[in-house]
Every structure is written in structure tokens, then in C-alpha cells.
Amino acid sequence: MLIQTAPRIRSSEITPRSVYLNRRRFLSGSLGFGAVLASAPLAEAKFSGLKESPFNTTEPETPYKVVTSYNNYYEFGTSKDQPVKYAGTLQTRPWAVQVEGEVSKPQTLDIDAILKLAPLEERIYRHRCVEGWSIVVPWVGYSLSEILRRVEPTSKAKFVAFQSFYNAKQMPLGRYAGIQLPYVEGLRLDEAMNPLTLLCVGLYGDILPNQNGAPVRIVIPWKYGFKSIKSIVKIKLVDKQPPSTWNIENSHEYGFYSNVNPQVDHPRWSQATERRLGDFFKRPTLMFNGYGDQVASMYTGMDLRKYF
Ligand SMILES: Nc1nc2c(c(=O)[nH]1)N[C@H]1C(S)=C(S)[C@@H](COP(=O)(O)O)O[C@H]1N2
Ligand SMILES: [Mo]
């Protein structure tokens, strides 16, 4: 499913990593955006010695500037240019994530414990938004399964429910979001345990900017972007399919599974193609966003039109 042509020599292979990360950020920040360049921290990126992941795509990465200034984060405004302007009010310390529900060892994990729980990897994933655009992002994190294993799910655990932080003072635009907050999402347990499902704490070798879901989010590369819930404070293992924000708002248009599928159109537009941000031409969208080898077997025998 994931067809890779001639291996691309990444600059990371010929340049010391810290130099490369800073240069990459510098370059991506300098594409005509002087203001951002001035404010971008050019100091050493926070994470070093990141493990390379076998799941990395070799497609060109979307510039840092684009990934961090064209966002979807309704708590900080409903248009794509608002989160970068308004997410500064989010307080990411102290921060804890409660892991509870159908588990033998419930835990409240402080963000600093989360950062040290397992070796951090760089995961360069394609990310496909339900609205038809896509990006390639070098995320930082580790498999969510690392945390789920440690809390020991009971035999009743069938799904995982996630909840974002919500605070009206820090997120004054939340009341105009037009969706119920806090933002909630969910996965089937096997989807949550899949090694591709990332507990994400950074991008481009650095910590997550607030607008991208600081200090910790989930990234699920074979599903539409709205499944990748930001700024999480709760992970609850449950026995029934949990509610998910866009399904609550419009169950006709947004299903629970929301696997990227070029054959199942959104009621109001086609999902057959996508525009990679920065590209002029659209490209075909791949089944499971190109991650079929890793995930298709989880859906054998399921009617993906019914479970869209
Ligand atoms: N809490 C929360 N999480 C969220 C959203 C949101 O509005 N609130 N938007 C989702 C959508 S629709 C997308 S496409 C991705 C965007 O992630 P990015 O801004 O890092 O690219 O975040 C998802 N997670
Ligand atoms: Mo999205």
C-alpha cells in the first residue's frame, strides 16, 4: 500500500541532528515570513537523540511555518489562522493526564513523567484533514500503547475515550465554537494499541506549540485529522463506543471510525483527492491515508461505508 520509490537522502543523514533541526526550522520559518522568523526560537531544539521510526514517510515535510500557523483548534477560534494568534493563553504547566476506567492500575501522569515514560521517536506522518487538505509532519512522541500497557486494561476495556482540556478563561473563543466542549474523541482498543497511534509531545524536534495541541495530543495518521485530539487531560478505557465531538455535532457527516477512504465521500464533497498544503495540484487520496499495510487488517469484514 505504501509505495516508496528511490530513497531520498535526508539532510539529517549528512548534518549533525541539532544543526539540521535548527537549520530546518530556520529555513521553513524564512519563506517570506519575517515576523515569525524574528520570534521563532532559534536556540537548540528541545529534543535530541530522537529514534527514527520505521513508519516514517520520505515525502517532503510541510514547512514548520505552515504546520504551526494553519490549524484547526476550535477552542481558539473556528478559522485556520486564529489558533496561532489566540492559543498563547493556554497554560500548559502544571499539566496532568488521568488514565482511568477499565484498568487495573489507574494513574495520573504528570506531563514531565509522560515525557520520560518511553523513548521519544520522530514520526514523519501524512496527516489528512476531512476538509481535503493534507500535510506531512515530523511529530515527536511514542506509541500510545506504551501508556495503555502500563495501566493494564481489564477484559471489559473495548474502547478508549479521550478528553481535551477546556477552560473558558484560557479559551474565551470556545463559547463561539459552535461545538460542545470539552472536545472528546475515541478509538477502539485495538486501534489505540496499534503501533501507529502516537502519543505526541512535539513536532520538528521541539515541543508542541499551543496551537498544535500542547503539551500532549494524539495523532492517528490513517484517520481524518479531527480524530487527532489535542491538549488531552483524560484517557478513559471503557466497554462501549464513546461519544466523539464531530459525530455528536453531525452524525450524518462524521462517523466514529473516520478512516481516510477515497471511496466514501463526505455528503457535501468528494474525498477522492486532496491538496497537500504548498502544492498547486491536487493528488489522489490513498486508502487509510497510505497506511493500509499497518491497519487494514483491523477492519476485515467491516462494511466501511456503514462504519465510515
Ligand atoms: N481539542 C481539539 N482537538 C482537535 C481539534 C479541535 O478543534 N479541538 N481539531 C481537529 C482537527 S479537525 C484537525 S484537522 C487537527 C489539526 O491538527 P493541527 O492543527 O496540528 O494540524 O486537530 C484535531 N484536534
Ligand atoms: Mo480537520
Side-chain angles (χ1 to χ4, degrees), residues 12 64 125 190:
S12 57
Y64 177 87
Y125 282 164
D190 59 333

Side-chain angles (χ1 to χ4, degrees), residues 71-75 129 164 183 212 217 225-226 228-230:
N71 301 101
N72 201 314
Y73 198 164
Y74 269 40
E75 291 88 328
C129 180
S164 289
Y183 197 98
N212 291 92
R217 69 178 298 177
F226 64 85
S228 294
I229 182 172
K230 294 177 167 178

Side-chain angles (χ1 to χ4, degrees), residues 72 80 127-131 133 224-226:
N72 201 314
K80 311 278 184 258
H127 176 103
R128 169 63 157 80
C129 180
V130 74
E131 290 157 272
W133 47 274
Y224 291 118
F226 64 85

Side-chain angles (χ1 to χ4, degrees), residues 18-38:
S18 59
V19 175
Y20 137 75
L21 284 169
N22 288 324
R23 181 190 301 154
R24 182 166 62 175
R25 159 169 291 195
F26 186 90
L27 289 171
S28 55
S30 64
L31 298 170
F33 300 98
V36 169
L37 188 58

Side-chain angles (χ1 to χ4, degrees), residues 184-197:
V184 291
E185 257 305 336
L187 293 171
R188 221 169 51 192
L189 184 58
D190 59 333
E191 298 179 314
M193 291 295 291
N194 188 286
L196 279 178
T197 300

Side-chain angles (χ1 to χ4, degrees), residues 246-261:
W246 285 102
N247 185 251
I248 296 172
E249 297 305 325
N250 191 338
S251 61
H252 178 62
E253 298 191 355
Y254 308 104
F256 174 79
Y257 283 92
S258 292
N259 293 317
V260 173
N261 188 339

